[in-house]
Amino acid sequence: MAKRKMILDLDTGIDDSLAIAYALGAPDVDLIGIVGSYGNVVVEEGGKNALKILELLGHTDIPVYLGESHSSTSDHFDRMEVSANIHGQNGIGEVELPEPTRPLEKESGVDFLIEAAHKYGKDLTLVPTGPMTNLAAALKKAPEIANEIGNMTFMGGALTMPGNVTPFAEANINQDAEAANAVLTSPLHSTMVGLDVTLRTLLTKKETQQWRDLGTVAGEKFADIVDYYIEAYKQFNDNLGGCALHDPLAVGVALDPSFVTTIDLNMVVNYNKETYGRTIGDDNRLNEPTNVKVSVMVDKDRYLKVFMDYLTTLFKNNK
């Protein structure tokens, strides 16, 4: 049992599934729970996808909680068409997995986050890879957790390049810019793993073939899921030659910050109409102590080697 404890806050699509696998494969952390969010899919389907992936990987011991079902400023969630195109209608590349035997937890995911922060304190690592609605709600309900959580590393935002849903906004931040702004301007210290680094970190069919060659169900299913993702990426940028490892890179950086080069910054998230979702330095806090480390470069080759070592071993051991 590892001293470090991790909670993933996911809108479980394809790269979220890879994030789950990375966390399970890492030897130096215990994944103690998953909180579901909306985004790639609706919250209930995301939660069920997380349970399916956990069961595929032999970890029915890990609970999955549902968080908020829509943004902090709306009363419903409409899934974007681009999400269905990239992740498939079912969120996991149209690959069919058995219905999970473990049900979703009845407790609120927001309450689970708060309780875990109180219980584990600096040993807790939180990795949100969807909208920040759940974390913003937890901070609003229990502001003290901003000083209790040991490590918050999130996938989202773009500082040195355009967004991927608008010229200004990355998808996760765009889902709830107000919540993201509340988190980034709170006392909570965090590391941003945005498009600046995730689009440099690619997986190809060469790697998924290695999973097929294992001859295990887990390897075959994950290869099918990720090959769908790779093909979907061709619609948007055929020059990449693979798919970006957005969410699993955030998990990797949470466990080993040396994968990335960062700059220290105080950040705000714009939520006016013209630049909604833009993540940018806060000119009102230029001379104040900083609370965000923004990833701007990544050691992609070393990260990919660790990623493949963790996941291939995991898939090999799950027949």
Side-chain angles (χ1 to χ4, degrees):
M1 185 173 290
K3 183 180 180 185
R4 299 175 72 178
K5 309 300 179 185
M6 179 176 284
I7 295 173
L8 299 177
D9 185 343
L10 310 172
D11 53 334
T12 303
I14 294 174
D15 55 331
D16 309 78
S17 299
L18 292 170
I20 294 172
Y22 192 105
L24 293 175
D28 53 347
V29 72
D30 290 335
L31 180 60
I32 61 168
I34 291 172
V35 177
S37 185
Y38 62 94
N40 294 324
V41 289
V42 298
V43 66
E44 293 85 2
E45 188 163 18
K48 186 177 285 189
N49 282 347
L51 286 170
K52 289 179 178 180
I53 294 296
L54 288 169
E55 191 150 324
L56 174 65
L57 298 175
H59 279 275
T60 55
D61 55 315
I62 297 172
V64 177
Y65 304 79
L66 292 186
E68 302 298 299
S69 61
H70 54 77
S71 79
S72 59
T73 59
S74 66
D75 59 5
H76 70 287
F77 165 67
D78 294 320
R79 188 189 190 199
M80 291 189 296
E81 185 177 347
V82 67
S83 299
N85 288 340
I86 292 175
H87 296 273
Q89 290 296 332
N90 71 349
I92 47 175
E94 307 301 357
V95 173
E96 293 299 323
L97 295 177
E99 287 297 303
T101 56
R102 177 168 184 156
L104 293 162
E105 303 301 305
K106 294 190 178 348
E107 182 184 3
S108 150
V110 171
D111 288 341
F112 170 65
L113 285 179
I114 294 169
E115 290 170 8
H118 292 334
K119 181 175 181 180
Y120 296 108
K122 296 304 180 186
D123 291 332
L124 179 64
T125 294
L126 172 63
V127 186
T129 66
M132 290 210 201
T133 312
N134 294 328
L135 180 53
L139 287 167
K140 184 176 182 180
K141 188 172 184 179
E144 69 277 6
I145 69 171
N147 296 310
E148 293 175 353
I149 296 171
N151 178 337
M152 196 284 271
T153 301
F154 68 96
M155 192 279 128
L159 181 66
T160 64
M161 62 180 298
N164 58 358
V165 291
T166 76
F168 297 102
E170 179 274 330
N172 290 335
I173 304 297
N174 189 68
Q175 294 283 7
D176 194 344
E178 290 86 346
N181 187 63
V183 171
L184 295 185
T185 58
S186 77
L188 180 64
H189 284 255
S190 62
T191 298
M192 173 174 141
V193 179
L195 300 179
D196 315 86
V197 288
T198 62
L199 286 176
R200 303 173 193 266
T201 313
L202 302 174
L203 198 72
T204 71
K205 289 188 178 180
K206 175 185 174 184
E207 285 80 33
T208 60
Q209 186 60 48
Q210 293 177 36
W211 296 343
R212 292 190 192 282
D213 291 344
L214 295 172
T216 65
V217 174
E220 186 77 20
K221 292 293 187 182
F222 262 86
D224 289 344
I225 290 169
V226 177
D227 280 352
Y228 180 98
Y229 201 44
I230 291 170
E231 289 299 316
Y233 256 76
K234 292 180 180 179
Q235 303 173 54
F236 305 99
N237 191 339
D238 199 21
N239 295 322
L240 289 176
C243 63
L245 294 174
H246 299 294
D247 296 351
L249 180 59
V251 178
V253 172
L255 297 174
D256 184 354
S258 71
F259 281 133
V260 292
T261 302
T262 63
I263 60 173
D264 293 341
L265 199 63
N266 286 317
M267 300 194 79
V268 292
V269 182
N270 296 159
Y271 48 90
N272 55 53
K273 184 177 180 181
E274 292 76 17
T275 59
Y276 189 88
R278 183 188 187 194
T279 48
I280 194 71
D282 185 355
D283 59 357
N284 291 317
R285 294 186 290 154
L286 285 175
N287 295 311
E288 296 180 15
T290 56
N291 72 327
V292 183
K293 292 184 178 296
V294 183
S295 304
V296 291
M297 290 298 293
V298 57
D299 188 347
K300 58 185 179 182
D301 293 335
R302 183 167 66 90
Y303 171 76
L304 185 60
K305 182 181 185 306
V306 174
F307 172 91
M308 287 300 293
D309 285 347
Y310 285 179
L311 270 70
T312 303
T313 300
L314 181 69
F315 299 160
K316 184 178 180 180
N317 292 333
N318 283 275
K319 304 293 185 183

